[in-house]
Amino acid sequence: MVEKMSLIGKHYSALPTPCLAVNRRAMEGNLSSLQRFLDSKGKSLRAHAKTHKSSRMAALQLEKGAIGVCAAKLSEAEGLIRHGIEKVLITGPVVSDEAHDRLIRCLGLASDLIVVFDNIENARRVSRKVAPLGRTLRCLIDLDPDFNRTGVPLGEAIHFAHALGELPGLDICGVQAYAGNLQHIASLAQRIASSQSALKAVADVFNDYKSQGFKMDIFSAGGTGTVQADVAIPEVTEIQAGSYVFMDVEYAEIEWGSFLDHPGTFESALYLLSTVVSTNHQGFVTIDAGLKSLYRDGGIPSVIQPAQTGATYEWFGDEYGRVNLQKPDPAFSLGQKIKLSISHVDPTVNLFDNIFVVENETVVDVLPIDLRGCSQ
Ligand SMILES: Cc1ncc(COP(=O)(O)O)c(C=O)c1O
């Protein structure tokens, strides 16, 4: 096996494939663009680490101005905390007895830990473990903006908050509302209208909470797709964007309009590097990137380099892909490197141990995906 650090300084074509590589300029641009955009709107960024699953990337997001990072699961939070990142919001439910013990261990290591609740019995169980320790766990009420995945239905939100507020050891500091169903609506106008309508309903509850005396410091919402819409809701304090750092085909295909420094959207920074491994047939070649290196959901990867050849990717099994050619083309001869776009970024990143960082065609760094597999 090639020692990955020994590849630093080499041309990217020396990378063993299939592998993930990121264009450093585009990635840094995405990090800065969103941070600047949110700063200009008076909103904070709590970047979601579920996309990159890398404690080093999380540290970079904090360095660039994020107020914290999100973890989708407890083990993701544990990984971040292990690497010294204490400002972690766990955005999904933590429900088992064993997980509650781990949550409390995390609290001992990261005083800035925040967790969401959407079930009162579950909150009661956590409270029973936290309160006797004399500690306080900060929490957000996870409100369901009609996504129906997790979250308290808005009609039950007031009752829920009063019940949660009774529990010792838990400190309610705001709400979370994530509308995952709206992030990829293709029409910008429709996406903005849908997200604003969903979040306005949540904002009404947020304001009711405030008028009933609940401390509401945080309204954590949104993702990459709805960021333009969500910053216009005055009650929203922070955005939980994740994919913006790398982007993918799913996001590249929706309408963005123009809202960042550069016209359009965030740049596609991440790509999959593959090699032509067989050329024995007319009309197509076989490359070494299949289902084990590209998550299938979210669209068909496109051949981004060699560029403008009209070549198209087709799934060809676990280890292989088929690249259909319009005409015989020496750019697709045996051993040639092919760059593919990523269909769906988060689950694709979770297939690799590291991402090679490339600048001016040279490998300049290796980013460990150290939270890979932290799905528990
Ligand atoms: C709760 C939550 N918040 C934020 C995000 C980030 O969304 P995106 O990657 O679209 O920015 C996700 C993604 O699935 C999520 O589940």
Side-chain angles (χ1 to χ4, degrees), residues 285-307:
V285 297
T286 301
I287 63 172
D288 61 1
L291 292 169
K292 285 187 186 169
S293 48
L294 282 160
Y295 193 74
R296 186 169 184 157
D297 173 50
I300 300 184
S302 49
V303 176
I304 49 180
Q305 205 175 313

Side-chain angles (χ1 to χ4, degrees), residues 78-97:
E78 288 172 323
L80 289 163
I81 293 167
R82 212 178 305 124
H83 287 87
I85 293 169
E86 295 197 21
K87 296 173 179 174
V88 180
L89 163 64
I90 305 177
T91 60
V94 178
V95 300
S96 72
D97 199 41

Side-chain angles (χ1 to χ4, degrees), residues 48 50-51 91 149 178 222-224 240-243 251:
H48 214 308
K50 74 187 284 296
T51 299
T91 60
R149 185 172 71 178
Y178 174 66
T224 301
Q240 300 185 349
S243 302
Y251 265 136

